[in-house]
Amino acid sequence: MRRTTSPFSLVLLGLGTFLLVLAPLLAWYVQPRAAVNPIDIDTTAVYTGRGSVFDTDRIETVPDRKITVTQRVRGNVEDSERSGRAVWDVITTVDTDKSLPAADPHDALDFTPHRWVMDRKTTRPVHCCGEKPYIEGEAYLKFPFDVQKRSYQWWDNTLGDTVVLRYRGTEKVQGYTGYKFTGSVPPTRTGTRMVPGSIVDQPNRPQVLAEEWYSNHGFELVVDQATGRVIYAQTGPRRTLRAPGGKKDAAVLLDSPKVSFTTATQKEAVRQAKRDSGQLRLVGETLPIGAAVTGFVLAVVGGVLVARGRKEPEQPVPSETPDTPQPTLTM
């Protein structure tokens, strides 16, 4: 008896081997290349809260006004493809009910355009492509992929510098769990502005180069661990003016203990975080594990079938006998 190998067992063995090779490729090669920041982003985040604002018509600070901060981020695809980086153009506006709705964002109480350029994989800032201002730190608008339980250097565009955000555990936003980070900014001089002297308690001077000061009552960010997407953001900006060399605030431009994501912004951020983290988990965990387990089973079954084979009887080989006439060659 002899054994033969069936085509089915070879197919099982080959498919199992293929899946075993595919599993680590998905986890170690495909998944890291899927975790990149997009270049065609177009998203808007809206914050609301209450606080004091400087009324330019009344030339005084008015309290308890509704404050709306709108931050729109759009990817510049052409510049991104040319540079190989993610080039995001950001417009941030601050409004009260007096300036909303505005047909032109330039009509807002405060209008700040800028450009952020980053490495698509690490989210680290890259200094090219008309970047303005010179952004530094580890995170801005979003955290890197695979967020760790540690402190991060977060860029504060109003401060013009980084702020340390410390890990504070986990928190749920719209039923979705993320990592919570908090931080604050002490009063810091950020620049100068020419204003009437009366605004900074110097009525005898028609114009004064006043000092601009900024502080923040507190940042609170909740971040999706896999993608680094911010699913909840809260900030407490305070912007003031001081007389040149002054030790105390003379005028308040903006002061709110808490301005935070609206419910609609939270829900949209959570929806996108679920989608993107689910895709990364599928490529980096679900498919590799499934391929490895299935490949192992198929390879074992195929190997066993190949080893066992199918028994077939040996065919007798005809032997020559003296009585068998030999063929003769004729011409």
Side-chain angles (χ1 to χ4, degrees):
M1 302 291 284
R2 65 187 180 91
R3 299 179 184 274
T4 60
T5 302
S6 70
F8 178 69
S9 61
L10 293 177
V11 169
L12 287 182
L13 181 59
L15 182 58
T17 303
F18 170 76
L19 291 176
L20 286 174
V21 173
L22 179 63
L25 285 178
L26 287 172
W28 300 333
Y29 184 83
V30 177
Q31 194 273 347
R33 284 158 179 76
V36 294
N37 292 302
I39 62 174
D40 58 349
I41 187 173
D42 188 348
T43 184
T44 300
V46 180
Y47 303 66
T48 56
R50 303 195 72 85
S52 301
V53 297
F54 190 83
D55 191 317
T56 54
D57 294 331
R58 297 166 56 177
I59 315 299
E60 64 179 359
T61 301
V62 292
D64 196 30
R65 292 294 188 266
K66 181 180 178 181
I67 298 171
T68 301
V69 179
T70 305
Q71 190 175 65
R72 183 168 188 184
V73 182
R74 300 185 68 178
N76 189 307
V77 177
E78 183 179 352
D79 286 355
S80 297
E81 291 179 340
R82 184 185 302 116
S83 65
R85 313 296 186 178
V87 181
W88 292 3
D89 292 319
V90 187
I91 293 179
T92 303
T93 57
V94 180
D95 289 281
T96 62
D97 287 343
K98 183 179 179 180
S99 59
L100 286 177
D104 187 337
H106 292 82
D107 297 332
L109 179 68
D110 187 75
F111 172 82
T112 308
H114 56 284
R115 168 171 283 194
W116 182 33
V117 185
M118 80 191 91
D119 184 282
R120 297 189 65 191
K121 295 181 181 179
T122 66
T123 315
R124 288 275 186 172
V126 178
H127 308 299
C128 73
C129 317
E131 170 215 23
K132 185 179 180 180
Y134 191 92
I135 295 175
E136 298 179 292
E138 299 174 281
Y140 174 52
L141 302 181
K142 73 177 294 293
F143 279 61
F145 293 93
D146 189 24
V147 181
Q148 303 299 304
K149 297 178 180 180
R150 63 172 178 84
S151 296
Y152 281 85
Q153 295 286 337
W154 174 267
W155 175 261
D156 183 341
N157 203 55
T158 305
L159 177 65
D161 203 349
T162 58
V163 179
V164 178
L165 296 186
R166 293 178 172 81
Y167 175 74
R168 301 298 186 186
T170 61
E171 186 165 310
K172 286 192 174 183
V173 176
Q174 302 296 325
Y176 187 76
T177 301
Y179 284 4
K180 179 179 177 180
F181 295 85
T182 64
S184 61
V185 179
T188 306
R189 179 179 170 177
T190 57
T192 58
R193 178 186 299 195
M194 189 67 72
V195 300
S198 59
I199 293 179
V200 290
D201 300 329
Q202 295 190 0
N204 297 327
R205 302 178 63 183
Q207 294 289 318
V208 174
L209 190 61
E211 298 177 357
E212 293 189 55
W213 285 70
Y214 165 74
S215 62
N216 201 294
H217 298 286
F219 291 98
E220 180 180 318
L221 302 178
V222 182
V223 183
D224 176 45
Q225 188 277 329
T227 64
R229 179 181 292 276
V230 176
I231 58 176
Y232 175 81
Q234 174 184 314
T235 181
R238 177 178 171 85
R239 296 169 56 193
T240 62
L241 293 177
R242 295 183 184 183
K247 300 300 182 183
K248 63 178 182 178
D249 297 331
V252 174
L253 300 178
L254 174 67
D255 187 15
S256 176
K258 176 184 176 182
V259 182
S260 60
F261 271 5
T262 63
T263 300
T265 297
Q266 293 176 40
K267 289 181 177 179
E268 176 61 16
V270 167
R271 183 192 69 80
Q272 294 185 28
K274 285 182 177 179
R275 179 199 64 193
D276 296 344
S277 62
Q279 292 174 351
L280 290 178
R281 187 164 51 251
L282 178 67
V283 176
E285 296 179 17
T286 306
L287 289 179
I289 293 175
V293 172
T294 304
F296 177 77
V297 172
L298 292 179
V300 169
V301 173
V304 170
L305 291 178
V306 168
R308 293 177 58 184
R310 183 176 66 244
K311 294 181 179 179
E312 290 185 355
E314 297 283 352
Q315 296 295 328
V317 177
S319 59
E320 296 181 358
T321 63
D323 298 332
T324 303
Q326 299 297 320
T328 57
L329 180 63
T330 59
M331 298 293 294

